[in-house]
Amino acid sequence: MTKRKRRHRRSVDVRINWLQPHADGFKDWLAQRKYSPATITELVRLLALWGDWVRSSGFEIETLASGLTASALVFRGSKTARAPQGAAALFISYLQETNVLPPERYPSLEETWPALGAFRCWMQEQRGIQDSTLDTYQAILVDLLVSLGTDPTAYTAAAVRDFVLDRAKPHGRGRAQGITVATRAYLKYLVATGQCPVGRERAVPSFANWQLATTPRGLGQADIDRLLATCDGEERLRDRAVILLLARLGLRASEVANLTFDAIDWAAGRITLAGKARREERLPLTQEIGDAILAYIERTRPHIVSTRVFLTSAAPVRPINRIAVKCIVRRALDRAGVKSVHRGAHVLRHSAATSMLRNGVSLAGVGAVLRHRSPSVTALYAKVDICLLSEIAQPWGGRLPC
């Protein structure tokens, strides 16, 4: 080690002196979470920088959480993940996990909005609604409670209608329909539990919706091949498996993210999914998809205990979520130079449907793979091929011309 490097190492140790009793344990904690040695060194350096400011501002170990909040304005100029604030937040998490600091407690949904907590439990138990769907409802319903109050008996038809129209005013038709769905679902729950007069959900206004008016926008096989070609190499085995599940089987982003080892039956060659409304659904595990998943598991998947198949590739290592799946698709589209109006994971679900149709699979078969509850949803894909329209065409009900 050169004199310059030794001097740098000593200066870091001096600058972190008052936090030094916890520094070694913090490094081990980061290493267990698969942070690289270079990242650990950088985080400790940034922690020393933050520690100097906290110490000079009069904070002690017991008040580090308050120091993190107070330092937000000081270090807000750095936008990278390795900013002093990020290192400090990790350090405080370490101290809380090792009981040096009490864990920071945030009020739960049930405590902040007991009505929404009860609604969430009822929807999960009685309707089998997924967390991801309820999460999309939450912000809308919080606004409803703020606007109309927490007493359902005060929800008049006029008040409900005014709330929906005002909330939907800044948005387009798609978002406006989402607002009506969330509001109507909550009012139906209130009616079912006797908290609201029967029929109050009918006060929710509807927005124009022309069924089958749109055309599904998927990618062609050439574009799918380009996406997969960008996933060559050890570092992208996970991305290849994720894209194959989306593009070949038409899985939703949340279904890929939540895929577990016990859902894969290697002997029978099938995948079992927990669909909407708690329906258990089975799809074939093709050779191509099975090989891709096995390659990821055996060669690059981090070695941590988790029942979920897909994990983050960078520390902290944890199961991916549906947002991460969308980001995987978006990055692959950018690498491949594929131009698409829709850039999320759902474009590959559309691609899977149109590909099956063009290869001779019936509309009923496509609906079975995509697990549509209504044939009218699958009928939308008939528009990608004029010949397929004959499957959904209805006989003319009028009289023949003279």
Side-chain angles (χ1 to χ4, degrees):
M1 183 181 293
T2 65
K3 180 183 293 185
R4 183 177 180 179
K5 289 184 178 179
R6 285 197 298 269
R7 187 185 303 119
H8 177 71
R9 174 66 59 82
R10 284 198 299 270
S11 65
V12 170
D13 290 340
V14 169
R15 292 182 67 193
I16 202 173
N17 55 4
W18 77 286
L19 298 176
Q20 191 60 45
H22 307 284
D24 291 337
F26 179 52
K27 294 177 186 177
D28 294 339
W29 184 81
L30 292 173
Q32 292 171 3
R33 282 152 181 77
K34 308 300 181 182
Y35 284 84
S36 68
T39 301
I40 293 174
T41 300
E42 179 68 4
L43 287 172
V44 171
R45 185 188 70 81
L46 291 168
L47 178 63
L49 176 65
W50 180 80
D52 282 351
W53 183 90
V54 170
R55 186 69 164 180
S56 64
S57 299
F59 293 97
E60 302 293 338
I61 287 288
E62 296 77 11
T63 56
L64 282 183
S66 300
L68 178 63
T69 303
S71 64
L73 293 176
V74 177
F75 296 103
R76 67 179 177 179
S78 178
K79 298 181 180 179
T80 64
R82 296 180 179 179
Q85 284 291 103
L90 284 170
F91 184 65
I92 290 173
S93 296
Y94 158 70
L95 294 179
Q96 290 171 343
E97 285 194 17
T98 53
N99 296 321
V100 176
L101 291 178
E104 194 168 357
R105 185 178 180 276
Y106 297 96
S108 65
L109 176 68
E110 290 77 8
E111 293 172 328
T112 306
W113 300 104
L116 292 189
F119 165 70
R120 194 179 188 99
C121 291
W122 189 87
M123 292 290 281
Q124 290 173 329
E125 294 172 0
Q126 303 298 324
R127 301 287 304 279
I129 303 300
Q130 299 289 326
D131 281 331
S132 57
T133 301
L134 295 171
D135 288 343
T136 62
Y137 291 175
Q138 186 167 312
I140 298 167
L141 297 183
V142 166
D143 288 347
L144 185 146
L145 294 180
V146 171
S147 177
L148 304 185
T150 57
D151 181 9
T153 60
Y155 295 175
T156 64
V160 170
R161 179 181 176 82
D162 290 344
F163 164 75
V164 173
L165 293 176
D166 185 64
R167 183 68 165 75
K169 189 181 299 182
H171 304 289
R173 181 169 57 88
R175 181 58 175 164
Q177 289 174 340
I179 293 169
T180 65
V181 169
T183 306
R184 191 176 290 115
Y186 184 62
L187 291 175
K188 285 183 177 179
Y189 152 74
L190 294 177
V191 170
T193 54
Q195 302 179 59
C196 227
V198 175
R200 181 62 77 235
E201 72 279 4
R202 297 176 185 173
V204 178
S206 298
F207 294 90
N209 179 31
W210 293 272
Q211 192 174 21
L212 304 181
T214 58
T215 301
R217 298 183 178 181
L219 303 179
Q221 187 56 49
D223 288 335
I224 298 295
D225 292 340
R226 288 164 62 187
L227 285 186
L228 293 173
T230 67
C231 296
D232 287 342
E234 295 285 320
E235 70 278 4
R236 295 202 176 105
L237 290 176
R238 180 201 63 182
D239 295 3
R240 178 180 176 82
V242 166
I243 289 175
L244 282 172
L245 285 168
L246 295 168
R248 299 290 193 252
L249 297 181
L251 267 62
R252 302 176 179 92
S254 58
E255 292 169 339
V256 174
N258 295 327
L259 185 65
T260 59
F261 286 105
D262 58 2
I264 304 175
D265 188 339
W266 299 100
R270 66 187 182 192
I271 299 176
T272 302
L273 300 174
K276 291 185 176 181
R278 290 189 289 234
R279 293 182 302 165
E280 191 174 86
E281 298 155 325
R282 293 179 176 84
L283 292 177
L285 177 65
T286 65
Q287 188 70 44
E288 181 186 31
I289 296 174
D291 289 343
I293 294 176
L294 278 177
Y296 165 66
I297 293 172
E298 294 175 351
R299 291 155 61 181
T300 61
R301 184 182 184 274
H303 298 289
I304 69 168
V305 178
S306 175
T307 59
R308 301 263 284 276
V309 175
F310 297 111
L311 307 175
T312 56
S313 56
V317 177
R318 57 181 180 267
I320 64 174
N321 55 25
R322 61 188 179 89
I323 303 301
V325 174
K326 294 179 180 179
C327 291
I328 289 172
V329 174
R330 189 174 295 116
R331 288 195 298 265
L333 289 169
D334 290 338
R335 290 195 305 268
V338 174
K339 303 299 181 183
S340 173
V341 176
H342 302 288
R343 304 186 58 77
H346 218 68
V347 70
L348 296 184
R349 181 172 168 86
H350 290 319
S351 304
T354 55
S355 176
M356 284 186 283
L357 286 171
R358 286 170 176 158
N359 283 282
V361 179
S362 66
L363 281 172
V366 173
V369 173
L370 298 187
R371 291 149 289 127
H372 289 155
R373 285 183 283 183
S374 171
S376 63
V377 178
T378 315
L380 175 67
Y381 293 100
K383 298 175 70 174
V384 302
D385 191 330
I386 194 66
C387 296
L388 294 170
L389 291 175
S390 60
E391 294 191 28
I392 60 171
Q394 299 296 315
W396 171 244
R399 293 184 299 175
L400 294 174
C402 296

